[in-house]
Amino acid sequence: MNVYDAQRMADVLAPEGYAAAAHLEEADLVVLNTCHIRERASEKVFSELGKLRALKAERAKAGQETKIVVAGCVAQAEGAEIFRRQKAVDVVVGPQSYHRLPELLRRAESSRAVLDTDFPAVSKFDHLVAPAPAAIRKRGVTAFVTVQEGCDKFCTFCVVPYTRGAEDSRPVEDIAAEVEMLAAAGVREVNLIGQNVNAYHGQMQGGAAASLAALMARIGSVPGIARIRYTTSHPGDMDASLIRAHRDQPKLMPFLHLPVQSGSNAILARMNRKHTRADYIALAGEIRAARPDIALSSDFIVGFPGETEEDFGATLELIEHIVFASAFSFKYSPRPGTPAAELDDQIPEAVKVERLSRLQTLLDQQRYAFNRKMVGRVLDVLIEKPGRHKGQIAGKSPYLQPVLMDGSAERIGEIVSVEIVSAEGNSLFGRPLPEQPAREALR
């Protein structure tokens, strides 16, 4: 979502004469797009602002003006605090108001500090600016497309409902029009994104609400689009139609990010996740029954308030039972204003560090094993860019694994059948088989 929002801000600023600077030191405008999910990310904002303040002062000595904008969820949550701690900031803008960025910059010409963190009555989707075809081509053959924003789940650890607001979905045909524009500019794969994307309920022609599965059926009909992905999902919104889409929609890739957060029922209840360990295991079984070759990814939080060693052990047992192709894992980070931050039984930092190490060791073992299982198989790889070395190209497997191989950059945008010859922790290495026609994802 942050990548997509950054691109949208660039699209809004382009008609105002702004273009991306090759180097930070050359920028007349610096936009710091921020995340508030964890304390470390939030504190990094203020560290970066200290460096930007020095850059702004240095450019001012040379008679060059530099505007500094803080955007995103830290801006939404801590707007006044940003201005208090860093006087060099000119504009603070929340996620709902990116379309007003040119106006805010004009206001900053006559005001030292401009703050816009309101939640407008109208959807921000109404103000999306279409990127120029040249900008789309520069971004590559894959693209994020926002279809939903906000979350109504109110997990006790999470700031998203407070910084992104209530769930809101774009109309189906608005999304389809954007995808058609992307396809016309050479995009082959779209990743449908939202804070809780499988809660999508956008309006169809005629006024009825569409499910995410119905939206993907519409996207799948767009000529040129060969692959569809979506993220991030909540287990509670993984309905039967979406599970069937994994079985029936050939363009939907066999990779699903489905956050569970913990394997302990007690901790899941304290997190207000609204699902149990058994619910998640049963759901994973249904999904795999519909699409046997699907790979699952997840999120885990260790050291949530009140987590005992037995609770943590239940998480390790869940991981061993499900087996994940990849995962994101974090130490619990108290976020101001969330219910979990007020709980008394916070876990000592040393305990969180030790548990995270054990968790990541197990997850890394599973990821390495999954990658090694690809050796000797033929995968369809979407070529996205030149590789690390001359004469090398790189792309993604159906399972979102980076794949490197020898080949010409002229093949960027093609889906190539590739025999995987070796695997490292994070990448696969393959040999293209040009004599074989590109196939659908492994079935």
Side-chain angles (χ1 to χ4, degrees), residues 232-289:
T232 289
S233 300
H234 190 286
D237 290 314
M238 195 80 194
D239 64 14
S241 69
L242 190 51
I243 294 173
R244 287 195 300 271
H246 279 281
R247 180 193 67 194
D248 300 334
Q249 171 56 264
K251 294 183 180 180
L252 180 56
M253 291 295 96
F255 180 89
L256 173 61
H257 185 66
L258 191 64
V260 62
Q261 307 299 356
S262 174
S264 161
N265 283 335
I267 296 302
L268 289 170
R270 298 195 98 193
M271 289 177 167
N272 194 35
R273 287 292 288 169
K274 301 183 177 71
H275 63 82
T276 66
R277 171 194 181 93
D279 292 336
Y280 189 89
I281 291 172
L283 178 60
E286 287 182 56
I287 295 165
R288 282 175 165 156

Side-chain angles (χ1 to χ4, degrees), residues 132-194:
I136 298 172
R137 286 191 289 272
K138 187 174 181 180
R139 290 167 187 167
V141 297
T142 67
F144 293 113
V145 177
T146 187
V147 303
Q148 180 272 345
E149 184 159 343
C151 185
D152 296 342
K153 292 296 184 286
F154 288 93
C155 298
T156 58
F157 56 83
C158 186
V159 296
V160 166
Y162 311 103
T163 59
R164 293 277 181 171
E167 291 174 357
D168 187 19
S169 298
R170 290 176 71 188
V172 170
E173 290 308 312
D174 288 2
I175 297 167
E178 180 176 347
V179 173
E180 288 166 356
M181 176 188 64
L182 293 169
V187 168
R188 302 297 314 281
E189 175 183 291
V190 291
N191 194 333
L192 309 180
I193 58 173

Side-chain angles (χ1 to χ4, degrees), residues 24 50 57 112 175 208 215 218 290 293 329 335 358-359 368 438:
L24 177 63
R112 191 199 67 77
I175 297 167
L215 172 65
R218 174 68 181 88
D293 67 328
S329 52
R335 307 314 297 129
R358 277 192 280 160
L359 182 95
Y368 296 156

